[in-house]
């Protein structure tokens, strides 16, 4: 199909059949690929197989050529590499310039970005530059078997409904995807792929921002999105010191502590460990929800966990609707009992 887009008085005819391939934005920081990229490669592979196309990664940075093997091992058939000193630190101008040019030349059908701070900044800018749509914060992606277009699902209206969105008349179809929602790609170091070097050349004034310094929020960043075991607490803790009890259980399991937004708002926990719609989406092997009521905005961030164990003294708390195991009781009695059992 041809899509006709109106831009001012000029008509742009776009032949949508020219657009091929699923691309993943391979976000790296300080030479390390972000974990969400491996999830996007896993999901991207499924989409590419269903459409019958190739999976590609686009990597930007300075001296990052060494990362291409890892991307190929995680499933990329091709890696588009933009390697230049100007790309050492992320800037919207620098990254969007090279990716916009690459999209113009190679015409991907789908481009996926992690819904990280960088992905959420870059993707909308590119959507405007390439004149296409963007669905932000997706939790599910599917190919429609009839028209082969991507169906992009995301929570809307405070998580009260799930909206499924299509991008009918323009290409590429673009989504940012929440970290922690999709399954990671399988690592195969024997896989072969091609690296295509992009022409990352910048003129004076192309990059209007200068990054002076990068300040990390805490010296030791706690990553709940990567944890296998999470012990999360809510207002049922009753006091900030309750977080210490959660930490004891987390230490026993080799896991980490997380919190509901109400705890974060109360100043009992840092936003880095908030689970939910306005926090982080997590998918651990076990998620303990202790004294958490189970508001829809919280559930949106943890319902994909492999096993959910809820402890709440109200047997009608909504958290029990998503829990695999529910313990009705006072968390100050239940958690020490679990720790005692683990000690045995
Ligand atoms: P409460 O709702 O107060 O629940 C406390 C629970 O503890 C109750 O179920 C109670 O029965 C139980 N309890 C009390 N004492 C004990 C005890 N001794 N032992 C065991 N159980 C006990 N929330 C999030 O978590 N994450 C988000 O990202 C998020 N984003 C939001 C975005 C928007 C736009 C809005 C409007 C809200 C958002 N919220 C979010 C807030 C959310 O709606 C809830 O208010 C919040 O999750 C409630 O936190 P809670 O479960 O800790 O507290």
């Amino acid at each position: 199909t041809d899509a006709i887009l109106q831009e001012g008085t000029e008509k742009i005819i776009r032949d949508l059949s020219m657009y091929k391939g699923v691309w993943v934005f391979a976000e790296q920081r300080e030479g390390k690929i972000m974990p969400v990229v491996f999830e996007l490669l896993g999901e991207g592979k499924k989409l590419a197989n269903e459409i019958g196309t190739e999976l590609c990664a686009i990597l930007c940075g300075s001296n990052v050529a060494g990362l291409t093997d890892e991307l190929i091992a995680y499933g990329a058939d091709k890696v588009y590499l933009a390697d230049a000193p100007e790309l050492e630190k992320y800037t919207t101008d620098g990254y969007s310039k090279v990716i916009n040019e690459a999209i113009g030349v190679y015409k991907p059908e789908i481009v996926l970005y992690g819904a990280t701070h960088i992905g959420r900044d870059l993707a909308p800018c590119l959507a405007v530059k390439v004149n296409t749509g963007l669905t932000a914060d997706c939790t599910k992606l599917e190919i429609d078997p009839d028209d082969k277009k991507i169906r992009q699902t995301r929570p809307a209206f405070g998580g009260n409904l799930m909206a499924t969105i299509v991008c009918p008349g323009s290409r590429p179809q673009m989504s940012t995807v929440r970290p922690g929602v999709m399954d990671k790609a399988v690592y195969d170091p024997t896989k072969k792929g091609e690296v295509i070097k992009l022409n990352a050349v910048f003129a004076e004034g192309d990059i209007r921002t200068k990054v002076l310094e990068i300040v990390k929020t805490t010296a030791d960043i706690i990553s709940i999105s990567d944890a296998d075991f999470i012990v999360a607490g809510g207002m049922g803790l009753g006091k900030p010191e309750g977080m210490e009890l959660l930490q004891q259980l987390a230490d026993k399991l080799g896991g980490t502590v997380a919190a509901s937004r109400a705890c974060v708002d109360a100043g009992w926990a840092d936003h880095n460990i908030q689970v939910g719609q306005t926090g982080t989406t997590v998918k651990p092997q076990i998620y303990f929800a202790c004294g958490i009521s189970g508001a829809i905005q919280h559930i949106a961030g943890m319902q994909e966990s492999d096993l959910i164990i809820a402890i709440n003294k109200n047997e009608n708390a909504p958290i029990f609707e998503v829990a695999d195991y529910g313990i009705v009781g006072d968390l100050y009695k239940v958690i020490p009992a679990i720790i005692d059992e683990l000690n045995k």
Side-chain angles (χ1 to χ4, degrees), residues 298-310:
H298 186 85
I299 288 176
M302 45 66 80
Q303 62 192 348
E304 298 297 328
S305 304
D306 293 348
L307 187 84
I308 298 169
I309 303 173

Side-chain angles (χ1 to χ4, degrees), residues 234-300:
M235 290 309 276
L237 291 170
K239 52 190 178 200
E241 295 75 28
M243 297 298 292
E244 287 159 25
L245 180 62
L246 304 185
Q247 189 65 57
Q248 285 174 29
L249 178 55
D251 289 346
K252 273 271 152 264
L253 299 164
T256 192
V257 163
S260 72
R261 175 165 162 178
C263 287
V264 173
D265 290 347
W268 300 357
D270 194 275
H271 182 258
N272 274 341
I273 62 165
Q274 181 189 312
V275 171
Q277 187 193 324
T278 44
T280 302
T281 302
V282 297
K283 197 174 178 294
Q285 288 173 27
I286 303 183
Y287 186 88
F288 279 89
C290 312
I292 294 177
S293 57
I296 184 102
Q297 298 90 353
H298 186 85
I299 288 176

Side-chain angles (χ1 to χ4, degrees), residues 57-221:
I58 181 153
L59 173 67
C60 304
S62 176
N63 293 320
V64 289
L67 301 177
T68 54
D69 287 349
E70 199 176 356
L71 294 167
I72 290 167
Y74 274 102
D77 300 310
K78 281 181 191 158
V79 180
Y80 294 99
L81 171 67
D83 203 316
E86 292 89 344
L87 298 172
E88 188 194 347
K89 296 198 174 79
Y90 172 78
T91 59
T92 320
D93 282 345
Y95 273 47
S96 66
K97 179 179 187 293
V98 287
I99 300 176
N100 177 31
E101 285 169 3
I103 289 175
V105 174
Y106 297 102
K107 299 192 172 21
E109 194 171 355
I110 293 172
V111 186
L112 307 177
Y113 309 78
T116 59
H117 293 295
I118 287 179
R120 286 176 182 189
D121 179 71
L122 177 65
C125 174
L126 277 163
V128 172
K129 283 194 182 206
V130 303
N131 202 354
T132 190
L134 170 72
T135 307
D137 240 5
C138 295
T139 52
K140 192 172 164 193
L141 301 172
E142 289 167 305
I143 299 294
D144 187 301
D146 296 329
D147 63 12
K148 299 287 177 200
K149 285 187 188 128
I150 186 169
R151 297 281 183 269
Q152 308 161 98
T153 301
R154 52 153 299 165
F157 295 104
N160 288 308
L161 64 85
M162 300 301 282
T164 298
I165 295 166
V166 283
C167 179
S170 60
R171 291 291 178 274
Q173 304 162 92
M174 304 214 301
S175 328
T176 62
V177 178
R178 281 195 182 195
V181 177
M182 311 292 182
D183 291 329
K184 278 185 191 168
V186 178
Y187 181 74
D188 174 7
T190 62
K191 188 174 180 307
K192 298 270 175 286
E194 192 186 343
V195 177
I196 297 164
K197 287 197 179 137
L198 300 173
N199 194 19
V201 178
F202 296 90
E204 179 95 32
D206 277 348
I207 301 179
R208 295 164 298 172
T209 322
K210 192 170 177 197
V211 179
L212 300 177
E213 192 187 358
I214 294 175
V215 181
K216 293 186 180 159
T217 45
T218 51
D220 191 12
I221 294 175

